[in-house]
Amino acid sequence: INLLYISNYVVPYSTCLPWTWYVAADFQLHVLSPLLLLLMYKERTLGFILAAFILLVSNAAAIAFYFWYEIPAGGIVQSDQTYQKITAMQHFQTQFRLTLFVVGLCLGYLLFRIKQNQLKIKLSKPHLLMGWTVVVLLILSTVLSTSIFDDPKYVHTPWLDTVYHVWSRQAIGLAVTWVIVVCTIGRGGVVDKILSWKALIPLSRLTY
């Protein structure tokens, strides 16, 4: 199963090394990436249409999953074994990772065009102010809203929990995308200086 890179779908709970789900998911995503990137390179419009379709399907699958199983949002972990297996599915299976991966591919293609001088992005000060404001709001709303769901008085609401599950990851992903773009075009300001600090290089090399 591990050699076929499908352990995150087939008996993911009984493998000798359960955390290898990441290797399988990563492999499956990287099988997709050349197909999408080549299409973007050859037929840009068609490539982005396909990317949008994948995002739509992935989000639809996630919405259906969270709403059907009524998985509560927040950081409180349930002790029920059946519940833990259901919630683990969202962690192991590739379709729940697909959205941000495709966004990353689109961003990579965008950065490629910028560095090849095929695309120039000019942002005025009002645009930068608006962008950073939205980014801060996205991050704060995602992080601070967990206090609502973790409140003992909170009444479980399937549709609201579903919205948080689906939106929270994408909000953080969009925020990171903005930071990468503005730093790449030289408009990152203080953030760019901090992230470019050489003392952080050893930390950037660390990975689990």
Side-chain angles (χ1 to χ4, degrees), residues 16-208:
C16 57
L17 299 172
W19 50 87
T20 56
W21 69 267
Y22 175 80
V23 180
D26 203 39
F27 176 80
Q28 292 158 13
L29 290 170
H30 280 80
V31 167
L32 170 67
S33 59
L35 303 176
L36 189 55
L37 287 174
L38 284 173
L39 187 57
M40 285 182 180
Y41 185 75
K42 297 292 185 180
E43 297 288 342
R44 188 186 315 158
T45 302
L46 191 58
F48 278 99
I49 289 175
L50 178 59
F53 176 75
I54 293 173
L55 291 175
L56 181 64
V57 172
S58 178
N59 278 320
I63 290 171
F65 175 83
Y66 289 120
F67 190 80
W68 178 263
Y69 288 106
E70 297 187 358
I71 298 177
I76 297 178
V77 179
Q78 302 289 334
S79 58
D80 180 73
Q81 190 173 13
T82 302
Y83 174 83
Q84 288 182 348
K85 285 189 175 183
I86 293 174
T87 52
M89 288 171 62
Q90 65 170 315
H91 198 68
F92 293 159
Q93 295 184 357
T94 306
Q95 68 267 24
F96 298 106
R97 306 283 173 177
L98 193 56
T99 304
L100 287 183
F101 187 80
V102 171
V103 170
L105 288 180
C106 294
L107 173 61
Y109 176 75
L110 179 67
L111 296 179
F112 169 77
R113 295 198 66 208
I114 291 174
K115 292 185 176 182
Q116 294 294 318
N117 294 319
Q118 298 175 359
L119 177 66
K120 291 185 178 181
I121 299 177
K122 295 182 179 180
L123 296 174
S124 63
K125 288 185 178 180
H127 289 148
L128 288 170
L129 179 61
M130 184 183 302
W132 283 113
T133 301
V134 171
V135 163
V136 171
L137 290 175
L138 285 175
I139 294 174
L140 289 178
S141 63
T142 302
V143 174
L144 297 180
S145 58
T146 56
S147 62
I148 298 174
F149 300 110
D150 289 340
D151 189 337
K153 296 180 181 179
Y154 171 70
V155 179
H156 172 54
T157 310
W159 71 266
L160 184 59
D161 290 355
T162 297
V163 169
Y164 177 80
H165 276 301
V166 175
W167 172 245
S168 58
R169 288 182 180 178
Q170 297 182 52
I172 296 297
L174 291 173
V176 172
T177 298
W178 166 265
V179 173
I180 293 173
V181 170
V182 293
C183 288
T184 299
I185 64 176
R187 301 301 302 275
V190 177
V191 174
D192 190 13
K193 291 180 180 179
I194 294 174
L195 295 177
S196 301
W197 187 32
K198 291 184 178 180
L200 294 177
I201 293 178
L203 292 176
S204 70
R205 296 291 186 265
L206 296 177
T207 173
Y208 78 93

